């Protein structure tokens, strides 16, 4: 990569550990500053980093992190309602920003972020980067190599009874900006954009099974909290290529026997692993064959973890990023349009180029 990438992290909650684990395996990435609304949490994370990464990190305020000359890029791991606010502050400070999904809680906010970034000339990057792993990239290569013929359709299925079963503070999953589509949809919809290209229109229908949920674990176990979003969302995505994807995202159903993702073509069907993971087996059923058989991993970052998208951007600058804000904006418009559709076709105003494929690459 040349010069080490110096990262400032804002938002130090549940997901932070996965990023730090990946960065610890990448010698060219160093965390130099951390900030959180909870200053004690920031101090504890900075102190741990001093011990584990071999160089010190400072616990600072958001303002100080954005003003720091030694922060090359801001990693925004705050909750979705704060994504746009933190991104806009980073952009105003002239710093590129890589944010957790979704790009923002609403299209209005996300559009403002992208406009500000364009005016200031800084990059906006957006998770998920799981799509750069061996699972989705091997599936993509199988499609690009013609193993299923002409792609015609895909299905995406994510079913769980709800995150309150394990998350000690699950309220945000059931408020605007949450729900199964906004929370888990980014993995599936981003994967569909990588596999089949951009989407031109959607139709969606949603429902919710109950107006309250109960926390199952942690200090608030037994407490009820309100549900303000649809908790079962179904939809159909028409891709620019003509392919059609069907989506089921649910916090209301117990389990499914379906593959996370399937892509069907004129010459075969592909079972694609969980897009919320980097790895997993791709299986191909060729037309006239004996059913599904494994496809040898042939593309993507091997043994990657969250944060590989930031590394990929730094490695490939100034070429357009594979985990770009442009894709994040398109994915958010797809999701918001599904939620607003109420059974009517919604034509999309955004698009995104299908990101470049990732060759098989060791990253550790
Ligand atoms: N938890 C997971 O398993 C998981 C997995 C993948 C992605 N994500 C995504 O990661 C993001 C964070 O999720 P999480 O589970 O780590 O949340 P969390 O609630 O555990 O942590 C969020 C942290 O951000 C801080 N924060 C919020 N607003 C802030 C602001 N304005 N300035 C500074 N700090 C602020 C909070 O104090 C908190 O420490 C979300 O976008 C989520 O969708 C989470």
């Amino acid at each position: 990569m040349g010069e080490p990438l110096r990262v400032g992290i804002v938002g130090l909650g549940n997901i932070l550990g996965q990023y730090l684990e990946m960065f610890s395996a990448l010698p060219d990435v160093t965390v130099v500053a951390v900030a959180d609304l909870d200053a004690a949490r920031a101090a504890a994370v900075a102190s741990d980093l001093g011990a584990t990464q071999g160089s010190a990190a400072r616990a600072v305020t958001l303002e100080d992190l954005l003003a720091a000359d030694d922060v090359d890029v801001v990693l925004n791991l705050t909750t979705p309602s704060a994504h746009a606010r933190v991104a806009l502050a980073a952009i105003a400070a002239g710093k590129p920003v890589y944010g957790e999904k979704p790009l923002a809680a609403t299209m209005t906010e996300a559009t403002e972020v992208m406009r500000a970034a364009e005016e200031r000339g800084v990059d906006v990057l957006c998770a998920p980067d799981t799509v750069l792993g061996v699972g989705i990239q091997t599936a993509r290569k199988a499609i690009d190599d013609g193993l299923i013929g002409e792609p015609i359709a895909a299905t995406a299925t994510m079913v769980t009874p709800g995150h309150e079963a394990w998350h000690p503070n699950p309220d945000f999953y059931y408020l605007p900006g949450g729900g199964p589509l906004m929370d888990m949809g980014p993995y599936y919809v981003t994967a569909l954009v990588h596999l089949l290209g951009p989407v031109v229109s959607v139709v969606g229908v949603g429902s919710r099974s109950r107006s309250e949920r109960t926390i199952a674990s942690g200090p608030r176990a037994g407490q009820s909290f309100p549900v303000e979003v649809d908790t079962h969302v179904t939809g159909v995505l028409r891709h620019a290529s003509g392919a059609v994807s069907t989506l089921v995202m649910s916090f209301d159903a117990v389990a499914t026997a379906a593959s996370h993702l399937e892509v069907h073509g004129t010459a075969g069907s592909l079972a694609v692993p969980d897009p919320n993971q980097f790895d997993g087996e791709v299986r191909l059923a060729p037309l006239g064959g004996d059913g599904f058989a494994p496809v040898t991993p042939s593309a993507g970052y091997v043994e990657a973890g969250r944060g590989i998208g930031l590394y990929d951007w730094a490695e490939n600058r100034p070429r357009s990023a594979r985990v770009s804000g442009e894709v994040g904006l398109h994915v958010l418009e797809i999701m918001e349009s599904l939620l607003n559709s109420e059974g009517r076709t919604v034509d999309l105003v955004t698009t995104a180029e299908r990101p470049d494929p990732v060759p098989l690459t060791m990253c550790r």
Side-chain angles (χ1 to χ4, degrees):
M1 191 190 288
E3 291 297 302
L5 184 70
R6 299 167 301 178
V7 182
I9 308 181
V10 185
L12 310 170
N14 263 294
I15 200 60
L16 172 72
Q18 292 192 31
Y19 280 85
L20 296 183
E21 197 276 328
M22 183 74 248
F23 293 161
S24 71
L26 298 169
D28 293 335
V29 178
T30 309
V31 179
V32 293
V34 293
D36 196 286
L37 292 177
D38 179 348
R41 169 108 184 108
V45 169
S47 157
D48 285 353
L49 275 167
T52 54
Q53 81 173 0
S55 62
R58 307 185 299 282
V60 293
T61 63
L62 173 62
E63 292 69 30
D64 287 346
L65 185 145
L66 297 179
D69 287 338
D70 65 349
V71 170
D72 299 321
V73 61
V74 175
L75 177 56
N76 180 5
L77 305 183
T78 59
T79 34
S81 62
H83 284 180
R85 204 173 333 130
V86 171
L88 285 167
I91 292 162
K95 302 231 188 268
V97 55
Y98 181 108
E100 253 303 336
K101 50 78 186 169
L103 179 58
T106 64
M107 270 303 278
T108 307
E109 285 181 0
T111 306
E112 194 185 342
V113 168
M114 295 307 287
R115 194 178 304 126
E118 196 178 342
E119 277 170 20
R120 196 69 165 78
V122 298
D123 286 349
V124 172
L125 298 313
C126 186
D129 53 4
T130 44
V131 288
L132 306 186
V134 167
I136 300 299
Q137 290 293 324
T138 295
R140 175 177 179 166
K141 184 158 169 30
I143 294 169
D144 291 354
D145 288 351
L147 300 191
I148 63 167
E150 192 63 34
I152 50 177
T155 60
T157 313
M158 191 294 302
V159 156
T160 160
H163 291 336
E164 69 276 18
W166 59 272
H167 201 296
N169 292 302
D171 315 53
F172 78 90
Y173 288 118
Y174 295 91
L175 297 174
L181 183 64
M182 283 296 185
D183 178 49
M184 298 301 287
Y187 300 107
Y188 292 80
V189 176
T190 308
L192 288 170
V193 170
H194 278 251
L195 294 172
L196 295 174
V199 172
V200 290
S201 66
V202 305
V203 180
V205 174
S207 64
R208 68 188 78 165
S209 61
R210 49 203 193 273
S211 58
E212 277 195 345
R213 299 234 170 186
T214 305
I215 301 173
S217 67
R220 296 173 60 208
Q223 266 183 35
S224 292
F225 61 91
V227 174
E228 295 182 13
V229 292
D230 282 347
T231 44
H232 184 90
V233 181
T234 59
V236 177
L237 282 50
R238 185 177 292 284
H239 296 263
S241 67
V244 173
S245 294
T246 308
L247 195 83
V248 176
M249 300 282 125
S250 186
F251 284 170
D252 281 342
V254 173
T256 176
S259 292
H260 295 273
L261 282 165
E262 288 177 1
V263 184
H264 306 285
T266 50
S269 291
L270 210 54
V272 181
D274 185 352
N276 188 16
Q277 307 290 330
F278 288 85
D279 303 307
E281 189 172 73
V282 178
R283 291 175 301 130
L284 171 70
L287 183 66
D290 285 336
F292 284 99
V295 176
T296 305
S298 58
Y301 285 105
V302 179
E303 291 182 20
R306 289 181 212 269
I308 196 68
L310 189 58
Y311 173 81
D312 181 77
W313 162 77
E315 281 276 274
N316 291 302
R317 277 180 297 178
R319 230 185 43 211
S320 79
R322 292 188 173 98
V323 286
S324 63
E326 182 198 30
V327 171
L329 186 72
H330 187 50
V331 167
L332 182 61
E333 191 195 11
I334 292 168
M335 296 192 301
E336 198 173 272
S337 303
L338 284 168
L339 292 175
N340 293 336
S341 148
E342 294 178 349
R344 291 182 304 266
T345 299
V346 180
D347 293 322
L348 303 185
V349 297
T350 67
T351 189
E353 266 182 49
R354 198 175 173 221
D356 289 344
V358 182
L360 196 66
T361 309
M362 299 303 294
C363 61
R364 288 175 192 266

